[in-house]
Amino acid sequence: MLFQPRLIPTLAMLLGVSLFVYLGAWQGGKGDRLELELAQRAERGKLGPVWVTDKLLDPQAAQDAPFAVVGTYDAQHQVFLDNRQENDQPGVHVITPLKIEGSETRILINRGWVGWTLGRSVLPVVATPSGRVHVVGLASTPSTKKFFLMPDHPEASAKLWSKLDMTRFQKLTGTPLQPVVLLQTGGDAPDALVRHWPPPDDRVGKHRGYAFQWYGMAVALFLFYAFASFRKGRSL
């Protein structure tokens, strides 16, 4: 048996192996970055909540970190986020802007979940605390992704939003707005809203599993190429 490689199969093998190695490194890098990010968030959580002022936060650095804020609710601009479920029950999230004490800057507070008590034709009635309140919560940045297979539908009410659009909200209030939403976990909360915020998914193992698969495909392709390149030599 002689090793007799051919040009086109060799080039195809090199291209394929390079692609698989690149994809493996990409997935491995995503896993490493996510692991570091989760570790940093855990460390921030141990330090306790940071006070929010009128200074705008860095949304990426603030993601999932605990914050505390004092101010007054702007009940006039309260909205509901549609299609939110809790224990398989349909409902909405209550989003109320809070005017940060000593400034005109607002921060959106996701005060929790409430079901459709009277059916979808009637918005839930949720009382908003008046006066000075203290809120503790986890920072979250609303997703801006739009799925092209899911077109936008007309909203049934000006107060019922299909998604939380920070730019739309800022135009609505005409005031400075913090770029994150606080998922309320504590503070002044004299209501029966459900506040259940699952922790972010730990996808480190998933990304590393994908990386292993891509590297394995690179090895398999090389071995197949090497095996296919051996041919019987001429007998003397």
Side-chain angles (χ1 to χ4, degrees), residues 33-222:
R33 290 190 296 273
L34 181 58
E35 183 178 44
L36 177 61
E37 185 178 335
L38 291 173
Q40 291 174 340
R41 291 175 184 175
E43 288 299 319
R44 288 200 302 266
K46 294 177 182 179
L47 299 176
V50 176
W51 286 100
V52 179
T53 64
D54 60 344
K55 182 179 179 181
L56 297 184
L57 300 170
D58 178 349
Q60 184 174 0
Q63 180 69 33
D64 296 322
F67 288 89
V69 63
V70 170
T72 54
Y73 279 122
D74 178 6
Q76 176 186 355
H77 293 111
Q78 177 171 283
V79 298
F80 301 92
L81 284 188
D82 200 3
N83 296 320
R84 299 307 191 264
Q85 291 195 351
E86 187 68 31
N87 291 327
D88 296 326
Q89 297 299 313
V92 295
H93 280 174
V94 182
I95 309 295
T96 312
L98 182 80
K99 179 178 178 292
I100 300 174
E101 190 172 63
S103 76
E104 291 299 319
T105 303
R106 267 69 168 171
I107 184 170
L108 299 182
I109 310 296
N110 188 332
R111 296 169 52 206
W113 177 91
V114 62
W116 288 102
T117 54
L118 299 176
R120 286 189 58 87
S121 60
V122 181
L123 286 175
V125 177
V126 179
T128 304
S130 60
R132 185 176 185 268
V133 295
H134 168 228
V135 177
V136 178
L138 300 174
S140 175
T141 305
S143 174
T144 58
K145 292 182 180 179
K146 182 177 180 180
F147 298 96
F148 68 94
L149 294 177
M150 299 179 63
D152 293 332
H153 297 285
E155 294 167 342
S157 168
K159 292 290 186 180
L160 183 63
W161 292 17
S162 59
K163 63 181 179 180
L164 188 53
D165 186 329
M166 305 293 277
T167 302
R168 176 183 177 185
F169 215 110
Q170 188 166 17
K171 290 179 179 178
L172 181 67
T173 60
T175 59
L177 182 69
Q178 287 285 0
V180 299
V181 178
L182 279 194
L183 309 177
Q184 186 173 12
T185 58
D188 298 325
D191 52 53
L193 297 174
V194 178
R195 299 178 178 89
H196 175 218
W197 315 118
D201 293 336
D202 185 349
R203 301 185 302 276
V204 175
K206 181 178 179 180
H207 287 302
R208 288 178 174 166
Y210 287 153
F212 178 79
Q213 291 177 9
W214 286 120
Y215 289 138
M217 291 175 67
V219 173
L221 177 60
F222 176 78

